[in-house]
Amino acid sequence: MINSSASSEDSVVATAAASAGADVVRSLYGRRLTRIDKGAGDFATAADVEAEKAIVDVIRAARPDDAVVGEEGGQQGTADAARQWLVDPLCGTLNYAVGSMLVAVNVALRDGAAAVADPFSGEVFFTDGTSAWVRRDGVDEPLAPTSATSLVDVNLDPPFINRPGFRAVDLLAHPAFVERFRPRVVSTTLALAWVAAGKRAAYVTDGADLTGSVHFAAGIALCRAAGCVVTGIDGAPTGAEGRGLVVAADAETHGQLMSMIRS
């Protein structure tokens, strides 16, 4: 935990909050948990709810005047607050519910610091908005994106907002993709942190503007600070008119993927 001193850096708050959520997720793993139906096949578990409470407690202690938007709790604080935190307490709930450890805890200050915690590896990826780091066993190392793995994570979960113009499954079957890359599907935005860390060459997903999403904001901030190339699936900058995401470790990889998507 951190104290409530206003001098605490936002990256410290983000890292502490994500770590607190990860502790809850890890502690409840493998238990029979109550499911909360959200409709359309989506659901939360008690782990989602309890992890979000732990995250919000950390933010409230350090930044009592800031607003928080949580996936489970919604808006807390005034919607027009100058500072707003975006919280996804358990990204990969379906994975978690069936016993898969491929999940992430995402905490981001809009247009500022962010952290992504992997509850099971113990890694916390974080940024102050300028530089990006990973903390392992209490040691911080700068993130170094690379396309050396040739692994590309492609999100195949609905909604498919930009079909038929863009379908992720078509990208996987593209001859140039098969020749250059190898697909992976982890179904969690932990994959974005992996691009920043050099564990993945790229990440591709359909969608609208994802920069303000509780699911994606932390990963996008992390990748930008690490020096990755971040655009929409149309190659345009992300923002209000954005369409999905193509996040690549370097410009060459991004260019190759965009060429395949456009063709």
Side-chain angles (χ1 to χ4, degrees):
M1 295 293 290
I2 59 176
N3 61 39
S4 59
S5 170
S7 64
S8 297
E9 294 182 2
D10 290 328
S11 61
V12 176
V13 178
T15 302
S19 297
D23 288 344
V24 173
V25 170
R26 187 170 53 253
S27 69
L28 295 178
Y29 178 74
R31 300 188 188 184
R32 188 182 297 275
L33 299 174
T34 301
R35 293 194 181 191
I36 304 161
D37 184 27
K38 296 182 178 181
D42 191 17
F43 64 91
T45 70
D48 298 69
V49 175
E50 292 305 315
E52 184 167 307
K53 289 179 180 177
I55 292 167
V56 173
D57 283 348
V58 173
I59 296 172
R60 282 276 171 261
R63 298 289 186 266
D65 296 327
D66 291 359
V68 178
V69 177
E71 182 180 10
E72 310 310 330
Q75 178 77 42
Q76 300 180 47
T78 59
D80 60 350
R83 289 164 50 92
Q84 185 179 73
W85 294 84
L86 305 173
V87 174
D88 182 359
L90 178 50
C91 186
T93 299
L94 180 55
N95 286 350
Y96 186 81
V98 299
S100 170
M101 295 181 177
L102 293 173
V103 301
V105 177
N106 299 321
V107 178
L109 176 63
R110 189 184 290 272
D111 300 322
V116 177
D118 181 337
F120 299 106
S121 73
E123 295 172 311
V124 183
F125 308 87
F126 64 97
T127 176
D128 58 5
T130 302
S131 302
W133 303 75
V134 59
R135 180 168 298 164
R136 299 186 184 95
D137 300 322
V139 178
D140 296 345
E141 299 177 0
L143 292 178
T146 173
S147 59
T149 66
S150 295
L151 301 178
V152 176
D153 254 299
V154 180
N155 181 16
L156 299 180
D157 292 337
F160 308 120
I161 294 175
N162 293 292
R163 65 181 180 185
F166 171 78
R167 297 196 314 163
V169 292
D170 292 337
L171 176 63
L172 298 182
H174 194 292
F177 186 94
V178 174
E179 181 179 349
R180 171 66 179 84
F181 299 111
R182 290 292 178 269
R184 290 293 184 273
V185 180
V186 302
S187 296
T188 169
T189 52
L190 180 62
L192 277 170
W194 287 352
V195 177
K199 298 182 180 183
R200 293 290 191 266
Y203 174 84
V204 180
T205 184
D206 197 354
D209 172 25
L210 300 177
T211 56
S213 164
V214 295
H215 305 291
F216 291 92
I220 291 173
L222 195 69
C223 288
R224 282 177 170 159
C228 301
V229 181
V230 181
T231 72
I233 57 172
D234 53 0
T238 56
E241 303 301 321
R243 297 175 56 205
L245 282 175
V246 177
V247 180
D250 51 52
E252 180 181 2
T253 300
H254 183 269
Q256 291 173 333
L257 287 169
M258 288 309 309
S259 177
M260 298 170 199
I261 290 171
R262 288 166 175 157
S263 65

